[in-house]
Amino acid sequence: MLDFTLIVLLVAGFALAADVRRGTAHYREYFYVGYSYVPQSGNTSIADGQIYVERLSPASGTTQPYPILFIHGSGMTGTNFLNTPDGRPGWAEWFMENGYEVYLVDQAARGRSPWQQSVDGLQTTIDTLSVSQLFTATEVYDLWPNSTLHTQWPGNGTVGDGVFDQFYASMVPLLESDGESGTKNQHAFVALLDRIGEVILLTHSQAGLFTWPIADARPSLVKAIVTIEPGGPPFIGDTFSSNTPKHPWGLTEVPMTYDPPAASPSDLQTVNVTEGRLPGYTCILQQEPARKWVNLLDIPVLSITSETSWHGIFDDCTVDFMRQAGLTVDFVRLQDVDIHGNGHMMFMELNSDEIAEKVVGKWIAEKTKSAMLGSSRE
Ligand SMILES: *[C@@H]1O[C@H](CO)[C@@H](O)[C@H](O)[C@H]1NC(C)=O
Ligand SMILES: *[C@@H]1O[C@H](CO)[C@@H](O)[C@H](O)[C@H]1NC(C)=O
Ligand SMILES: *[C@@H]1O[C@H](CO)[C@@H](O)[C@H](O)[C@H]1NC(C)=O
Ligand SMILES: *[C@@H]1O[C@H](CO)[C@@H](O)[C@H](O)[C@H]1NC(C)=O
């Protein structure tokens, strides 16, 4: 009887242990940057413009020369990089396990970064059908070439599936205007870099649009850039916005420093390219000789596109624009490194650790090798 009880306890104990998720012991701190006080009637004020920032440091120590600053995309928050919606460790965990300190944020006027009714512009919410069609169940809708090859989302990606429901419930309203988001995020992230110093910037989707203005304002603090299916393509909305003009400064809504200087977007002469593109698709680039993003020339860039996302249609055009602007870009389509079936939310899909290790982690390690050797970061 005693033995039986012991076995029951052991089995129960094992079940508990198996349920405990992997986790790197770490320190956590949160703070806000970028606020200013906005006067209100009655001798008082409110704060606006600040972003929520969470700093996670492995307890065993940081072994990498630079921390990674993650910036999430539309409708998302910093939770994107914590555990995945099906409860596996996320990219923050993977990078901490590999010796990186990580910063997670909520974009300006989003999530834990306050949206102030009297200051900030209108918000919008991405509905469940759009999320299934674009991110989680593209295989069901067949809206673009390769969408049906999507296999890596955990669960069926639609309402009623527990993983989808968790993911969707984590989504929050975002500013309607990418222009307003661009200005406010540039301001807040410059304040963040001024506080924390050198980083590797890792951005997803919409945050691609803010990557360039942040780096433009603080080029010496951005040691490398990883863009995951970045905002684009140049000068127009993506496939779902029927080629309406967007990103007037090329890949941004806010001004970039060009050389020769561009005083206004109309200084950027463009040309429509169809050769080498998917049938029916036009890529708008600068006319040569192209103006350069002169502040960003020394920052290495890795741009990643999945096999099945709609970004597969035009991310090559976005990368061509970056290269014309003078950047050195490694462009990886996941299928070319034998990673198949991923969509837009690759960093939380079933093989998220594989992508972290084989693509992102490997590239960052290579680009920061010299800093590793020469540094004594405390
Ligand atoms: C507002 O503050 C000013 C300066 O401190 C003071 O003179 C004034 O009486 C205050 N007004 C109110 C309504 O509290
Ligand atoms: C997805 O899974 C949920 C939960 O099992 C189920 O209720 C729903 O019908 C499934 N949806 C589709 C489109 O298969
Ligand atoms: C280039 O493409 C854009 C977007 O499709 C279109 O609006 C514009 O008219 C085109 N310009 C030329 C010169 O063909
Ligand atoms: C679709 O997938 C195939 C096979 O991996 C790949 O060769 C092709 O580039 C992909 N096309 C797009 C538009 O992503």
Side-chain angles (χ1 to χ4, degrees):
M1 217 42 214
L2 194 64
D3 282 350
F4 179 69
T5 309
L6 189 61
I7 288 168
V8 169
L9 284 175
L10 281 172
V11 168
F14 177 78
L16 269 179
D19 197 42
V20 171
R21 290 168 188 139
R22 184 182 58 169
T24 305
H26 59 269
Y27 299 109
R28 182 178 64 179
E29 174 199 15
Y30 83 88
F31 57 89
Y32 282 85
V33 285
Y35 47 86
S36 49
Y37 286 110
V38 183
Q40 306 286 292
S41 63
N43 273 8
T44 188
S45 55
I46 59 174
D48 186 62
Q50 67 270 43
I51 50 170
Y52 171 86
V53 183
E54 193 169 311
R55 171 175 168 259
L56 305 174
S57 315
S60 57
T62 302
T63 59
Q64 302 289 346
Y66 309 112
I68 303 179
L69 167 56
F70 290 83
I71 315 181
H72 59 83
S74 277
M76 307 291 159
T77 72
T79 62
N80 266 201
F81 305 103
L82 288 169
N83 56 273
T84 65
D86 59 333
R88 289 169 298 111
W91 273 16
E93 196 70 57
W94 192 92
F95 283 95
M96 275 195 286
E97 278 173 3
N98 285 277
Y100 292 91
E101 182 172 86
V102 308
Y103 288 90
L104 306 180
V105 299
D106 290 354
Q107 278 191 29
R110 175 108 59 102
R112 289 162 291 190
S113 304
W115 174 84
Q116 300 288 15
Q117 190 170 18
S118 61
V119 186
D120 297 311
L122 292 178
Q123 295 174 299
T124 182
T125 298
I126 307 176
D127 60 70
T128 54
L129 180 62
S130 305
V131 171
S132 289
Q133 288 181 335
L134 290 174
F135 304 157
T136 60
T138 71
E139 65 278 13
V140 177
Y141 296 97
D142 196 7
L143 294 177
W144 58 83
N146 286 12
S147 73
T148 58
L149 302 181
H150 184 227
T151 56
Q152 295 283 7
W153 179 261
N156 70 21
T158 58
V159 170
D161 177 275
V163 175
F164 177 88
D165 294 343
Q166 267 303 309
F167 172 60
Y168 189 77
S170 78
M171 291 181 58
V172 297
L174 68 147
L175 292 175
E176 265 181 13
S177 156
D178 277 340
E180 183 181 4
S181 285
T183 307
K184 292 187 169 169
N185 281 306
Q186 186 186 32
H187 167 81
F189 281 96
V190 164
L192 176 59
L193 294 189
D194 286 346
R195 173 169 167 154
I196 67 177
E198 297 171 330
V199 297
I200 291 159
L201 200 49
L202 189 155
T203 62
H204 178 230
S205 196
Q206 181 203 24
L209 304 175
F210 319 137
T211 306
W212 318 117
I214 295 166
D216 191 38
R218 292 294 182 274
S220 65
L221 299 181
V222 177
K223 307 315 285 184
I225 290 173
V226 179
T227 57
I228 314 279
E229 302 201 349
F235 299 109
I236 49 173
D238 65 26
T239 315
F240 293 93
S241 319
S242 45
N243 287 351
T244 44
K246 277 199 95 177
H247 327 311
W249 290 89
L251 284 178
T252 67
E253 328 302 310
V254 304
M256 288 290 294
T257 308
Y258 278 94
D259 181 35
S264 86
S266 60
D267 289 343
L268 300 174
Q269 303 294 311
T270 64
V271 56
N272 288 1
V273 179
T274 52
E275 204 187 316
R277 310 291 154 177
L278 287 181
Y281 181 70
T282 300
C283 172
I284 308 179
L285 293 173
Q286 289 193 67
Q287 251 173 45
E288 293 291 353
R291 288 179 155 78
K292 306 295 178 197
W293 280 347
V294 66
N295 290 339
L296 276 63
L297 300 179
D298 294 333
I299 307 175
V301 178
L302 169 65
S303 198
I304 304 174
T305 301
S306 67
E307 184 175 36
T308 83
S309 167
W310 81 100
H311 272 255
I313 305 167
F314 54 78
D315 278 4
D316 59 338
C317 177
T318 303
V319 168
D320 285 348
F321 182 92
M322 299 175 199
R323 286 177 175 153
Q324 269 196 314
L327 306 195
T328 305
V329 187
D330 291 313
F331 178 40
V332 174
R333 291 184 187 266
L334 291 181
Q335 64 267 28
D336 293 342
V337 292
D338 211 22
I339 298 178
H340 297 279
N342 284 106
H344 192 56
M345 306 304 293
M346 60 182 79
F347 48 83
M348 55 172 69
E349 294 194 312
L350 292 169
N351 57 347
S352 52
D353 278 356
E354 186 188 9
I355 300 170
E357 181 182 339
K358 288 192 186 159
V359 186
V360 185
K362 196 173 135 200
W363 185 86
I364 293 176
E366 204 177 285
K367 294 301 162 190
T368 55
K369 206 161 35 187
S370 54
M372 270 304 260
L373 297 174
S375 94
S376 57
R377 186 170 179 272
E378 67 277 14

